Structure formats: structure tokens, C-alpha cells
Amino acid sequence: TARTEKDYFSAKTPCRQGSGKTPVISETEDVELWSSPFPEVDVKAASDVVKVSQPLLTKTTKDPLAPKTAKAKPVGKEIVPRGPIIKETICNPVDEQTRQTILENIQPPLSQYDGYYKQSSRDYGKSVEIHKFTKAMAKVTKNGNEKTATNLAMPPILRFEGADKEYTVKRELGKGAYAPVYLVEGTSAEEEECDDCDDEPVRMGKGRFGLKRHRLEAIKMEDPPTAWEFYIMRQAKRRLGVSRAAESVIHAYEMHIFRDEGYLIEEFRDQGTLLDLVNIARADINGGGVMDEQVVMFFAVELLRTVEALHAKGLIHGDLKADNVLVRFDVPPSDTTWSAQYARDGTNGWAAKGLALIDFGRGIDMKA
């Protein structure tokens, strides 16, 4: 019956009439089901049509009854600047202002680095207490005086907001030209409650699934405080990835920045430096007072391999010397037998033997 009405095929669907209001239909009119709009069709030709194909439904097809909404403008991704941050062709890479400019413009920013905490609005004020304690400890170690040991004050305990651990200062490890380094013992509330928990909840990046940290660690106290060394060490680990060269750079776990001082928490290795090794060899009169030539060659190869890998990633240590290179004689994995024949590719247990670079305070990021 619809085909007898010429106006039917040219009429718009009810939902699109007027301003979207529901049309009023009188009781005398035939009520037809709403359908999709069709193009104008000749009535005579339409009578011969047996089947009318429906429009294909696609993902963009919408319900004709749905109210029209304004399309939201796509939010563009934040444009990350590429290329060097310092544009001058000649500059001083260890200048504080140059470093500060780099730290303020790096992407992602330092605030997004895991383990970075900045509270530059307040002082921490622990340097005098730590220095006093470690000085007294050095006297006890040197003299072995029980009376001095009895009068020794309680060791300073460092607690940092946001950190999982608290650190008890044990002794001074070394004092370079820029900052002293202390041996600390780290403990956390979780460790005290459960030293050997098999029922520990699984947390990615934490506990058994996180970076393996040890009870004894090193803290470098910097005055004035700066995050530069923390940044360089993290960049070294990130750019080197999973590689032998990455194992030759110590870990930087945390960086705490205050208004008066900064605390860099690092991996501690107890096997000494290359300088210690040289001094031991010099003191050995029976050995001729020199290091064995093959040992020297081994450490030279390890040092060159590590430095070349850093340079290939645009990083320069800037302060290489014997007392900034730690000996790294780790125990090979249990399923690996350490061969007496040297393997340059690190197989047969040789990947666990080498060195570890420390003190990146004068490091240079060539990409910046």
C-alpha cells in the first residue's frame, strides 16, 4: 500500500523531522515502521523490485535515534624534543649551569625516575653527625682502644621519606675530592617482619621480582646536592641494556635531594679497587713487587671493553683512574663451570669476572 503513495519514497524518516521531536501521528493515518532513508525512486520502476538491499552495517554506523553529539577533538601526543639540549658547539660539560639546563630539559624528567626523591624545600642536616661518628669509628679501628669503643655514640640512622629502607651508617669507605662515601646497612619493615617469607605477595618490580639489593650498600653524601651522577649512572644502565658492559657499572638505587645535601645510594662491592690490587702486588716482595702480566692484560681488556661500550652510547666517564675501578670477581651461576681458559665472549663463567666503574660525578652525556 505504501507504493501507491508517491510522497512515501521522498519523505524523510520521522526521527529527522524538525528538531528531533517525536512526530504526532493521528489515529486515521497508517502507522509505518521507521526505516533507513532511501534515495528517490520512480514509483513505476519500484513496483518491479522484488528485494531492496539494506545498507551495510559498519563500525561507524550509528543508531538514527541517537542524539547528535559534538565530536571531541583528538588530543595530540606531547612532542618530545629531539637532538641535543645544549645547542652551543663549544661548552664546558662539567659546568653546573650546563648540567642544570640538561637536568631540567631531559625526557622523561628526573621526577619520573624510580628511586628519585626531591625535597629541596627543607634541610636534612645529618652531615655533621655522620662525620663525627665515622671519625670516631676510624680512631677505634686504628687504635683498638676498648675505652674509646665504649664511649662511642650510637650510629646515625638515615630515614628518607618515600624510601622502603632505613640506613644505619657503619663506617667511611672513602673520601674523594667531591663527596665522602659511607658503608651503610639497610633494613626495611618488611624484612624485619619476615626474613624468609614464601607467602610474600607478588609485586612486579619489588621483592623477588625487583632489582636484587643487598643488606650492605654505599651512600655518597654530596654537598652541594646534585642529581647529575644519579642521572649518568641510570642512563648508563638504560642505554647498555642487558649486556656484559652493563654489569661493569654499579647500580644507583636511590637519590634523595635536600636543600643542604644529597644522598646517592649505590651498590656496594667489598673486593676493593684496582689501586688496592696494585698496592697488594707492590707489597709482595716474593712476587717481585709487580702484578702478574696476564692479570694486568685481563683488567686492561675489561676496562677497554666497558669504556668503548659507554662511548658507543654517548657516555663519557670523565674521571677514570685505578681507585674508581672496582674488582668484580663474582661467583658464576650454579649451572656454569668456570673454565681456566679465558673466553672473550664471557662464556664458561667469565662473564662473572671483570671490573665495575664507580664515581660518575664528572660524567658527560654526549647526546645532551
Side-chain angles (χ1 to χ4, degrees):
T1 55
R3 291 194 175 97
T4 60
E5 301 176 14
K6 293 184 179 181
D7 294 333
Y8 174 81
F9 290 100
S10 61
K12 294 183 180 179
T13 54
C15 63
R16 297 193 180 182
Q17 290 178 354
S19 58
K21 295 180 180 179
T22 305
V24 179
I25 301 174
S26 63
E27 294 180 358
T28 58
E29 292 180 43
D30 293 329
V31 178
E32 296 291 339
L33 296 176
W34 293 352
S35 61
S36 300
F38 289 92
E40 291 204 16
V41 179
D42 182 74
V43 177
K44 193 174 183 180
S47 61
D48 299 327
V49 177
V50 178
K51 187 178 180 181
V52 179
S53 60
Q54 295 295 320
L56 294 175
L57 294 176
T58 63
K59 290 182 179 180
T60 56
T61 304
K62 294 182 179 180
D63 182 6
L65 296 177
K68 294 183 180 180
T69 56
K71 292 183 179 180
K73 294 182 179 180
V75 180
K77 293 183 178 179
E78 184 180 352
I79 300 175
V80 178
R82 295 184 177 274
I85 296 172
I86 305 299
K87 307 295 184 182
E88 292 80 1
T89 54
I90 299 176
C91 69
N92 179 5
V94 296
D95 178 67
E96 284 302 321
Q97 188 58 46
T98 301
R99 290 178 170 183
Q100 193 60 33
T101 302
I102 294 172
L103 292 177
E104 289 173 356
N105 291 277
I106 57 173
Q107 292 295 334
L110 268 179
S111 58
Q112 294 183 14
Y113 281 43
D114 184 40
Y116 178 77
Y117 305 92
K118 186 175 182 179
Q119 302 178 56
S120 54
S121 60
R122 74 181 186 94
D123 295 336
Y124 195 67
K126 282 281 188 177
S127 58
V128 176
E129 181 185 354
I130 295 172
H131 178 70
K132 185 177 179 181
F133 172 79
T134 53
K135 190 176 180 180
M137 276 295 298
K139 287 183 179 179
V140 172
T141 306
K142 185 177 180 180
N143 302 328
N145 193 332
E146 293 184 4
K147 185 177 179 181
T148 309
T150 306
N151 296 332
L152 198 64
M154 290 295 292
I157 298 177
L158 307 179
R159 298 181 179 90
F160 302 110
E161 185 177 334
D164 296 331
K165 292 187 174 186
E166 62 179 30
Y167 305 93
T168 304
V169 179
K170 309 291 284 185
R171 60 183 174 88
E172 186 177 88
L173 291 172
K175 191 172 184 178
Y178 305 100
V181 182
Y182 303 103
L183 176 67
V184 296
E185 183 178 4
T187 55
S188 64
E190 293 179 359
E191 291 176 356
E192 291 176 357
E193 291 174 2
C194 181
D195 290 333
D196 188 19
C197 279
D198 294 329
D199 300 330
E200 179 187 358
V202 175
R203 295 179 298 163
M204 296 311 296
K206 300 288 185 182
R208 289 174 292 176
F209 295 91
L211 186 64
K212 301 298 181 185
R213 295 179 62 171
H214 303 282
R215 200 170 186 87
L216 291 179
E217 294 176 344
I219 282 189
K220 189 172 187 177
M221 188 175 67
E222 299 181 339
D223 180 17
T226 174
W228 183 256
E229 185 172 2
F230 174 79
Y231 163 72
I232 292 290
M233 293 172 72
R234 281 295 180 88
Q235 286 298 310
K237 286 289 188 180
R238 187 186 68 82
R239 297 180 193 181
L240 292 173
V242 181
S243 64
R244 288 179 66 199
E247 295 299 317
S248 297
V249 177
I250 64 168
H251 289 281
Y253 298 126
E254 298 172 20
M255 182 74 228
H256 299 271
I257 296 285
F258 298 93
R259 184 166 52 192
D260 56 341
E261 51 207 23
Y263 294 86
L264 174 62
I265 302 172
E266 309 171 302
E267 176 186 2
F268 169 67
R269 289 188 167 272
D270 61 354
Q271 296 172 334
T273 66
L274 281 186
L275 184 62
D276 296 329
L277 207 59
V278 171
N279 290 333
I280 290 172
R282 288 180 64 183
D284 184 10
I285 303 175
N286 297 328
V290 294
M291 284 180 65
D292 183 86
E293 187 176 6
Q294 288 187 337
V295 178
V296 174
M297 291 168 65
F298 169 74
F299 281 117
V301 168
E302 288 294 303
L303 185 60
L304 289 169
R305 181 175 57 78
T306 304
V307 171
E308 283 181 351
L310 285 170
H311 288 184
K313 299 298 182 180
L315 294 169
I316 297 175
H317 184 279
D319 194 19
L320 279 178
K321 52 188 177 183
D323 51 348
N324 281 343
V325 181
L326 297 179
V327 175
R328 180 173 63 86
F329 285 161
D330 296 334
V331 178
S334 57
D335 58 346
T336 303
T337 302
W338 186 26
S339 172
Q341 178 63 43
Y342 174 69
R344 60 177 296 179
D345 59 356
T347 56
N348 299 327
W350 282 95
K353 312 297 177 180
L355 47 80
L357 299 182
I358 60 173
D359 197 355
F360 283 81
R362 296 182 68 81
I364 301 170
D365 183 2
M366 293 299 292
K367 288 190 176 182

